[in-house]
Amino acid sequence: MRCNVCEVRCEINKHSTGRCGTYVSDGNTILQYSGMGYLGAYPVSIEAVPLLHYYPSGKFLQVFSTGCNFQCPGCVARMPASSRPSTQQSSLSPSEIIKRALQQECLGVVSTINDPVANYYLFRDLAVQAQEKSLLVGCATNCYFTTSTLEEFGHFVDFVNVGIKGYSDRSYKNCGVSFSAPVFRNISRLFDMGVHVETSVVYSKGSDDDVIKVAEKVSEISSKIPLHVMRFLPSGYAPIELEPSVGDAEKICPALRRYLDFVYLFNSPGTELLNTYCPECGSLLIEREFHRPIGSRLVKPLVSRTCICGSRIPFQGKAASESFSEVGLMDSYSTSQAFSMVHAVLTCLGVLDDYKLMDIWGEDKLMDVWNKVSDPKTLTQIHNMIRQPYSYLEFIEFIAKKADMSEKGEELVSFINERLKIVQNLSAGKSSYNVYYCMGSPLFALNAGRMENNLVTFSGGVSINKQLQKEGKLGVSVSPSFINDHDPGVIFISGFLSRPLDEFYALCHKYGIHARAVTQQQVYEIPPSWDFGSPRWILGLLYIADKLHPGKLGVDLRKEADDFYLEFYGMRFKEARSNRSFHRPSSGIWPHTQTLYHYAEMEMPKQGSTKNFGSEINQPFNMLPAYKLKFKG
C-alpha cells in the first residue's frame, strides 16, 4: 500500500514501515505504529518555536516524538528525528499531553523537533483533543503533505512554522525528496484556509540566490508572511565550510526585505535582526534577543501593535503580560542537545559508526538512557552534571555504565582527571586577568553558571560573567559599559556559536568597546565543542589555562590534542574535520594561528584574495609568524 500522508508516498506492507519508520499496514489501511506517543512535553514561550507574530510571549506546551520523512544533512535534531519508535520507550499519549497543557496553564500545544508528518495520526488525535479543550494547536513542519492530507491538516491546526529547504528542487533532493513545489503549494493553501503561517529558510554559504527566490515565492502568497532566516549550523556530516558567518547572514536580509515585510535572523547571537521594524518607516517596534539556536525572546512585553507612523503590524492573538522562560534543558531543542551530549560521550567510548550507534541506542540499556533523558528529573540532573568539570566525569560514568562500556569510560575519565589536576595546581596561583566569555557577538554574554565560565574559574581566571544577575537560555545581552567597566584582559568567544575575529573586532569598534583584551588583541575563538557539549572540553580547559597563565602550563597543547584524538577518535588532531556537532571530531585551524586584525583600521584582503593565514598550521609554535597590530586610540 502507498502511504498518502506525504508526497514521498512510501510503499508500506508487512515488511516495510516507510521512510519515517512509524507507519504499519494491516493489509487494508495504514496505521500509526502501535503504542507510539510523545517522548517529551515542556512549556516554552512561543518565540522559542519560533513564531514571532502569534500570541507574543505566549506559553505553549512543546512536544516531540520520533521519525521524519526528510534526511537533511546537518540536521540539529538528528537523534530523535532519525530514530524509530520502540516498545521499550516510555511515551505520553495525546490525553496525557492535554492534561499537562491544562495543568501548566498553556495556551496550546505545539509539535517540534521531529516532523508531525512522521506521526500524523498521533498528531491529529492530539489536535482533536486540544480543540475540545479550547487549546490552540500548531507545529513546525516541512509541510511536504499530499493535497488530500493537507486539507484535513489545515482544519485542525491554528498555526504553523514551515521549514523551507530552498527554492530549487536540488535543495530538496539534498534532503532525500524530489521537488520543492508541494511545499509552496501547501503554504498557499494553509494561508487561504486562515491558518497563521510563518516560514523558515536555511541559509548556507553560497545559497544567496536560492534564499532570495524563496522570499520572492512566499511574497506571491503574501508579503506579510514572516520569514525566519536560519543561519546554517553544520552538524552531522555537513562540512563547516557551508556555515556563513553572522555578518554574512546579516547582509542577505535587506535583499529579502525587498519582497517580504518581516525578515528575521536566527542562530546568530547578538544580531539586531531578531527585532521587528516597521516596514513603512523603519522604526523599531519590538526588541528581541537571542535565546538559543532557532529561538528568541522578547526583551519586554508587547504593548502596542501600531507604529507611530500609523501602520498596524500583523500580530495574531493576545500578547502575554510577561514572557515565560524555561530553565535548564527543559524544552524540546535542549532535549535534542542532551541526546547529542550523550552521543558525544558514546563516540569517545569508541562508537564511531552511526549505524552501530543506532543499534546500541536501540538496546534495552541505552533505551533506558533515552527514556531517562526525556524525563524532567534526569534532564535537571544532566544539566547540573555538565556545568562543572568534576561532575562531568559522573556524566561520563553514567553513560558508560548504561552502554556496558565502563572500562572505556574509566579510560576517558582518567585522561580528563590527569589534566584537571595539572590545571588545578596551576590555578593555585590566581591569574591576574579579568575574563569575559561571549557567544558570537561581543554584547552576548554567556550565563554565569555555564560550563565555559566555570572552566575560566577552574583555570584561576576572574570571570566577569559571574557578575550577571539576569539569565537567558544560553546567555543574555549586555551593554558596552558592562564590558568596559570590568575591563577584561582576555575575551573568549564560545566554540558553540562563534564569529570570525575580523567581524568581532569590527563590532567592538562599532559599539565603543575598548577593554584591554580588545586593544591588546587578546580575543580568542575556542574551536567547536572544545568548551561545551563534548568531552573535548578538557582541551578547551588547557587552552584557556594557557592563555591565562602564559608560558606556565607546562604541556604541549598540540600533543595533548593529538593524544586525545588518537585515543578517543582513532585519528590525529590535524586529520579531523570540524563542524558544530558535539559528537564529531573537529579541528580546523589551530587556535594559535588564527588571523589577527587591526582594531580601528583593519587591512582586509582584497576581493578574490586567496591568502590563508592558517596555512602554517603544521609549523612548530615557536616558528609561527607574528602578525603585528596597529591600534588607533
Side-chain angles (χ1 to χ4, degrees):
M1 296 184 66
R2 291 271 177 198
C3 177
N4 194 47
V5 172
C6 89
E7 291 285 358
V8 176
R9 298 179 187 270
C10 295
E11 180 73 30
I12 296 179
N13 53 45
K14 63 180 181 179
H15 304 295
S16 169
T17 58
R19 179 179 294 183
C20 295
T22 60
Y23 296 108
V24 296
S25 171
D26 65 0
N28 297 310
T29 187
I30 291 175
L31 308 168
Q32 199 82 63
Y33 183 89
S34 177
M36 187 173 180
Y38 289 101
L39 298 182
Y42 313 106
V44 297
S45 174
I46 194 69
E47 286 81 12
V49 173
L51 277 100
L52 303 187
H53 286 223
Y54 192 76
Y55 286 81
S57 297
K59 180 181 177 183
F60 285 75
L61 192 68
Q62 193 176 32
V63 301
F64 71 100
S65 187
T66 60
C68 187
N69 60 332
F70 278 23
Q71 299 167 339
C72 302
C75 177
V76 296
R78 176 181 162 273
M79 187 61 69
S82 62
S83 297
R84 299 295 180 254
S86 166
T87 54
Q88 299 293 329
Q89 291 174 346
S90 61
S91 57
L92 298 165
S93 68
S95 59
E96 290 173 315
I97 295 293
I98 298 303
K99 183 179 179 180
R100 286 196 183 190
L102 293 171
Q103 287 176 340
Q104 299 187 52
E105 299 181 335
C106 296
L107 294 173
V109 292
V110 55
S111 173
T112 65
I113 299 297
N114 77 301
D115 203 287
V117 165
N119 45 267
Y120 178 72
Y121 302 116
L122 177 71
F123 181 63
R124 182 180 65 183
D125 188 12
L126 174 66
V128 169
Q129 293 188 41
Q131 288 179 336
E132 290 174 352
K133 298 295 183 181
S134 299
L135 293 171
L136 297 166
V137 181
C139 64
T141 175
N142 57 46
C143 214
Y144 212 64
F145 295 104
T146 61
T147 53
S148 57
T149 301
L150 187 87
E151 286 299 312
E152 180 181 57
F153 175 79
H155 283 99
F156 64 67
V157 292
D158 300 292
F159 61 93
V160 294
N161 183 323
V162 178
I164 302 173
K165 307 306 175 184
Y167 175 78
S168 67
D169 289 340
R170 180 182 178 183
S171 60
Y172 276 81
K173 287 176 181 176
N174 287 338
C175 293
V177 298
S178 298
F179 309 108
S180 64
V183 176
F184 295 104
R185 175 199 71 203
N186 291 342
I187 292 172
S188 180
R189 179 60 185 140
L190 288 173
F191 184 82
D192 289 342
M193 295 174 76
V195 176
H196 177 82
V197 178
E198 301 192 21
T199 57
S200 299
V201 63
V202 175
Y203 172 59
S204 57
K205 189 172 288 187
S207 69
D208 301 53
D209 291 343
D210 201 55
V211 170
I212 289 171
K213 287 180 180 178
V214 166
E216 185 176 5
K217 189 68 175 177
V218 172
S219 73
E220 293 175 4
I221 303 169
S222 173
S223 64
K224 302 298 182 184
I225 295 176
L227 178 66
H228 306 160
V229 178
M230 298 293 172
R231 185 175 69 91
F232 184 57
L233 300 178
S235 58
Y237 294 102
I240 195 73
E241 290 78 15
L242 289 178
E243 179 180 342
S245 71
V246 176
D248 290 338
E250 288 174 330
K251 289 175 185 176
I252 196 175
C253 291
L256 304 178
R257 285 204 177 102
R258 291 202 296 265
Y259 301 97
L260 296 168
D261 291 342
F262 304 101
V263 176
Y264 302 99
L265 177 61
F266 287 80
N267 297 339
S268 305
T271 185
E272 296 177 353
L273 297 181
L274 282 171
N275 300 331
T276 297
Y277 298 92
C278 176
E280 297 298 327
C281 71
S283 297
L284 173 62
L285 301 176
I286 301 171
E287 188 176 358
R288 300 182 186 86
E289 64 181 356
F290 175 91
H291 192 45
R292 63 177 190 186
I294 69 171
S296 68
R297 69 174 180 182
L298 268 67
V299 173
K300 56 185 178 182
L302 175 66
V303 293
S304 175
R305 302 171 190 230
T306 304
C307 179
I308 55 174
C309 74
S311 298
R312 187 161 176 81
I313 309 305
F315 284 87
Q316 186 171 336
K318 182 180 179 181
S321 58
E322 60 182 57
S323 295
F324 173 78
S325 183
E326 68 279 359
V327 296
L329 297 173
M330 298 303 295
D331 64 77
S332 299
Y333 173 81
S334 297
T335 302
S336 177
Q337 292 296 81
F339 287 132
S340 297
M341 293 177 205
V342 173
H343 188 181
V345 172
L346 289 173
T347 301
C348 287
L349 300 185
V351 185
L352 300 178
D353 182 272
D354 281 358
Y355 292 103
K356 183 180 178 182
L357 172 77
M358 298 311 296
D359 287 342
I360 293 176
W361 199 273
E363 294 173 3
D364 288 355
K365 291 195 174 183
L366 276 197
M367 191 56 68
D368 182 47
V369 175
W370 174 287
N371 295 335
K372 286 182 177 297
V373 168
S374 300
D375 176 71
K377 291 183 180 178
T378 303
L379 281 171
T380 300
Q381 181 185 4
I382 289 175
H383 181 63
N384 291 332
M385 281 182 176
I386 62 173
R387 288 159 69 100
Q388 294 285 352
Y390 279 115
S391 62
Y392 190 97
L393 303 184
E394 299 175 19
F395 178 59
I396 294 173
E397 292 169 344
F398 170 71
I399 300 302
K401 182 178 179 181
K402 288 294 182 181
D404 283 333
M405 304 179 79
S406 293
E407 184 176 343
K408 189 65 177 178
E410 283 305 312
E411 292 178 17
L412 179 57
V413 168
S414 177
F415 184 99
I416 294 175
N417 215 359
E418 289 177 13
R419 278 80 186 165
L420 285 177
K421 291 177 181 176
I422 292 173
V423 176
Q424 201 164 25
N425 290 335
L426 179 66
S427 64
K430 292 286 184 180
S431 168
S432 61
Y433 289 116
N434 276 358
V435 181
Y436 176 54
Y437 223 122
C438 59
M439 182 178 283
S441 165
L443 297 184
F444 190 81
L446 288 176
N447 282 337
R450 281 183 63 90
M451 176 65 141
E452 297 91 330
N453 291 314
N454 292 331
L455 295 181
V456 168
T457 303
F458 193 92
S459 301
V462 179
S463 170
I464 69 170
N465 298 58
K466 298 289 185 180
Q467 304 298 317
L468 296 170
Q469 300 300 314
K470 179 184 175 185
E471 283 213 359
K473 194 62 184 177
L474 299 177
V476 293
S477 298
V478 297
S479 66
S481 62
F482 172 81
I483 303 170
N484 289 333
D485 291 349
H486 288 88
D487 194 28
V490 171
I491 293 176
F492 293 113
I493 306 175
S494 167
F496 182 40
L497 294 179
S498 60
R499 186 189 284 258
L501 288 180
D502 60 333
E503 289 186 12
F504 190 91
Y505 280 116
L507 284 177
C508 288
H509 179 59
K510 173 183 175 181
Y511 297 137
I513 298 172
H514 48 73
R516 184 161 44 122
V518 176
T519 60
Q520 296 183 6
Q521 302 291 327
Q522 294 196 99
V523 178
Y524 305 102
E525 267 185 281
I526 305 293
S529 299
W530 270 33
D531 53 0
F532 174 75
S534 164
R536 294 193 293 272
W537 62 259
I538 187 59
L539 300 177
L541 176 66
L542 294 174
Y543 179 66
I544 289 169
D546 183 58
K547 293 302 179 187
L548 299 186
H549 304 274
K552 297 181 180 179
L553 183 61
V555 300
D556 183 331
L557 289 176
R558 186 184 296 281
K559 182 178 184 303
E560 289 295 323
D562 255 350
D563 288 349
F564 185 92
Y565 277 67
L566 282 169
E567 178 70 22
F568 301 109
Y569 296 135
M571 66 177 71
R572 300 291 297 271
F573 166 68
K574 67 179 180 180
E575 295 167 351
R577 299 181 63 189
S578 65
N579 69 13
R580 298 298 177 186
S581 292
F582 291 155
H583 72 279
R584 182 165 179 159
S586 61
S587 61
I589 296 177
W590 182 250
H592 286 72
T593 66
Q594 289 175 359
T595 308
L596 300 179
Y597 298 88
H598 297 279
Y599 171 58
E601 291 186 350
M602 294 177 290
E603 297 176 1
M604 301 299 294
K606 294 180 180 179
Q607 189 172 5
S609 170
T610 58
K611 187 171 184 180
N612 179 6
F613 287 100
S615 61
E616 304 87 356
I617 187 170
N618 293 318
Q619 297 183 25
F621 289 157
N622 61 2
M623 295 180 65
L624 293 176
Y627 298 110
K628 299 292 185 180
L629 297 164
K630 303 175 195 174
F631 174 69
K632 289 187 71 175

